[in-house]
Amino acid sequence: MLFNLTDEQLMIQSMVREFSRKVVAPTASERDKTKEFPKKNLKQMGELGLMGMMIPPEYGGEGADTISYVLALSEIAYSCASTAVVMSVQNSIVCESILKYGSEAQKEEFLIPLASGKMIGAFALTEPDAGSDPVSQTTTAVKDGDEYIINGTKRFITSGKNSGAVIVTAKTDESAGHRGISAFLVSKKTPGLVVGHMEDKMGLRASDTTDLIFENCRIPETAILGKEGDGFKIAMSGLDGGRIGIAAQSLGVAQAAFDAAVKYSRTRKQFGCAISKHQGIRWQIADMATQIEAARQLMLSAAAMKDRKEKYTVQASMAKLFASEMVNQITSRAIQMHGGYGFTKDYDVERYYRDARVFTIYEGTSEIQRIVISNNVLKDKRKP
Ligand code: COS
């Protein structure tokens, strides 16, 4: 499929590119060292309409399409992957799930501040012993009159500390498999909900990743998202959109690493000429450019399918699988092209390499994407 981006999509891409390079990039390396959450940048991104891009204006968003969103997200990831992951979780799995499944009251209370960037959102599915297999989660939500009582621990929650609201999944019926999981939209101020251990990660260091602990956390029954038993479906459909976002993050970081490597190859001289004159380097540049372009097309294709309201689960998995594996190769090659300098903190490629590592892991590992894709090809579900 040939993508002719519309004037509006190109305008959004160029506006975000300018903002990202001028405002987000200059402090990214420092943030990586200090682990300071990019609050100021995110506030400005909210003002630019980047925190609820696909949400209609009546709920505080921009009403943009998915293609515009992935273009914008790639541009933010180009400068700072930590900032991009917060934008990604907020736009797709948080805002879109509330838009799709939330009540009017939930939209009023949470979607409007989230989509306009006044509040940060989190999504809590993973647990210490339930990652790739979310059906094995043990967090429970027990009905008590017109309330639910939630107990359990969620792990690796992006924006766990800095969020104002969280979508949490919990079992409302422990004997019903995936149909016994429900989702709830919970204010972080709720008594019984505490932020636990904060991870010390190799990359995405300015994005906070924490445990969220629910201890007899009482929420009103109106906090449910959708209806009882909808939680697994809400998570899976949210992850479909989220996975296109990981492809966009991968693309942004890959492009940044590639641009840095090309620039370096033109200035670094060995054996009497710029290393870009050596065939070994030229072939690497050609392969890297081709891999990036292939990932871009997969990402745009999945986004276009979502915009056309077609079923895009498999294409989202393909885009995520290919782009996240691609960026790990590109960032590694970019370091190799920088030689010893690439191994130092003086060059950004070292940060890109660390940031990219999680892309083949979060929102479904590469192995999970292969399960989704092969199930679809074989029309036959695998044995776990
Ligand atoms: N959108 C909406 N519903 C979906 C869906 C999707 N993409 N994928 C599955 N479902 C629904 C199915 O329709 C089915 O519902 P019914 O039984 O009501 O028909 C149900 O979910 C179960 O589907 P299925 O049996 O295909 O799911 P599996 O248990 O075989 O496997 C995988 C699902 C492995 C793909 C899933 O567990 C998964 O994605 N795991 C990774 C989780 C993950 O990404 N974790 C990281 C979280 S970071 S927030």
Side-chain angles (χ1 to χ4, degrees), residues 202-333:
M202 74 181 274
L204 303 187
R205 290 176 61 77
S207 132
D208 61 302
T209 306
T210 75
D211 279 3
L212 286 181
I213 302 160
F214 295 79
E215 273 177 346
N216 291 322
C217 176
R218 282 183 173 272
I219 53 167
E221 62 181 355
T222 51
I224 197 163
L225 209 48
K227 39 185 208 327
E228 268 197 20
D230 279 352
F232 189 72
K233 191 173 65 184
I234 292 173
M236 289 300 115
S237 60
L239 282 169
D240 284 349
R243 287 168 183 167
I244 309 181
I246 311 302
Q249 292 172 46
S250 302
L251 197 75
V253 175
Q255 190 69 54
F258 178 68
D259 289 352
V262 168
K263 186 174 165 203
Y264 185 80
S265 75
R266 286 199 172 112
T267 52
R268 173 71 174 170
K269 288 197 174 70
Q270 291 292 279
F271 301 105
C273 63
I275 60 170
S276 62
K277 299 284 182 201
H278 298 305
Q279 191 178 46
I281 295 292
R282 296 180 86 86
W283 284 17
Q284 290 218 37
I285 288 173
D287 286 347
M288 290 158 88
T290 306
Q291 282 177 291
I292 291 173
E293 187 54 25
R296 191 189 327 276
Q297 295 301 326
L298 277 172
M299 174 193 78
L300 289 173
S301 167
M305 286 180 78
K306 178 167 178 282
D307 284 335
R308 291 195 303 266
K309 308 211 182 312
E310 294 168 14
K311 187 157 171 46
Y312 66 96
T313 299
V314 174
Q315 281 70 22
S317 282
M318 287 176 170
K320 200 252 180 202
L321 171 63
F322 187 86
S324 63
E325 295 287 344
M326 172 279 294
V327 68
N328 276 277
Q329 291 168 23
I330 299 287
T331 52
S332 172
R333 282 182 170 199

Side-chain angles (χ1 to χ4, degrees), residues 2 9 55 62 96 127 195 202 204 216 224 230 234 294 323 344 363 371:
L2 182 66
Q9 289 161 347
I55 302 303
E62 281 300 294
E96 286 212 298
E127 297 185 0
V195 177
M202 74 181 274
L204 303 187
N216 291 322
I224 197 163
D230 279 352
I234 292 173
T344 71
E363 300 212 13
I371 288 176

Side-chain angles (χ1 to χ4, degrees), residues 83-289:
T83 307
V85 67
V86 181
M87 173 180 169
S88 177
V89 169
Q90 175 101 348
N91 272 274
S92 58
I93 202 155
V94 173
C95 284
E96 286 212 298
S97 299
I98 303 173
L99 180 70
K100 206 161 155 195
Y101 296 99
S103 64
E104 271 314 306
Q106 287 171 322
K107 288 177 186 167
E108 280 290 320
E109 186 178 354
F110 293 106
L111 187 54
I112 294 175
L114 285 164
S116 56
K118 297 192 173 74
M119 183 190 275
I120 299 294
F123 188 87
L125 174 72
T126 297
E127 297 185 0
D129 297 314
S132 292
D133 177 17
V135 179
S136 66
Q137 64 186 267
T138 56
T139 297
T140 52
V142 176
K143 195 87 192 275
D144 183 33
D146 57 2
E147 291 181 326
Y148 285 95
I149 309 170
I150 306 187
N151 276 291
T153 297
K154 295 292 176 177
R155 177 146 297 168
F156 300 141
I157 308 308
T158 300
S159 306
K161 176 166 173 265
N162 286 286
S163 50
V166 56
I167 298 175
V168 59
T169 60
K171 286 212 164 141
T172 41
D173 180 349
E174 294 190 56
S175 62
H178 69 265
R179 295 202 182 108
I181 296 173
S182 303
F184 302 89
L185 178 53
V186 182
S187 163
K188 285 282 294 303
K189 292 185 187 136
T190 313
L193 166 50
V194 287
V195 177
H197 169 74
M198 185 168 337
E199 303 296 342
D200 188 11
K201 302 170 300 193
M202 74 181 274
L204 303 187
R205 290 176 61 77
S207 132
D208 61 302
T209 306
T210 75
D211 279 3
L212 286 181
I213 302 160
F214 295 79
E215 273 177 346
N216 291 322
C217 176
R218 282 183 173 272
I219 53 167
E221 62 181 355
T222 51
I224 197 163
L225 209 48
K227 39 185 208 327
E228 268 197 20
D230 279 352
F232 189 72
K233 191 173 65 184
I234 292 173
M236 289 300 115
S237 60
L239 282 169
D240 284 349
R243 287 168 183 167
I244 309 181
I246 311 302
Q249 292 172 46
S250 302
L251 197 75
V253 175
Q255 190 69 54
F258 178 68
D259 289 352
V262 168
K263 186 174 165 203
Y264 185 80
S265 75
R266 286 199 172 112
T267 52
R268 173 71 174 170
K269 288 197 174 70
Q270 291 292 279
F271 301 105
C273 63
I275 60 170
S276 62
K277 299 284 182 201
H278 298 305
Q279 191 178 46
I281 295 292
R282 296 180 86 86
W283 284 17
Q284 290 218 37
I285 288 173
D287 286 347
M288 290 158 88

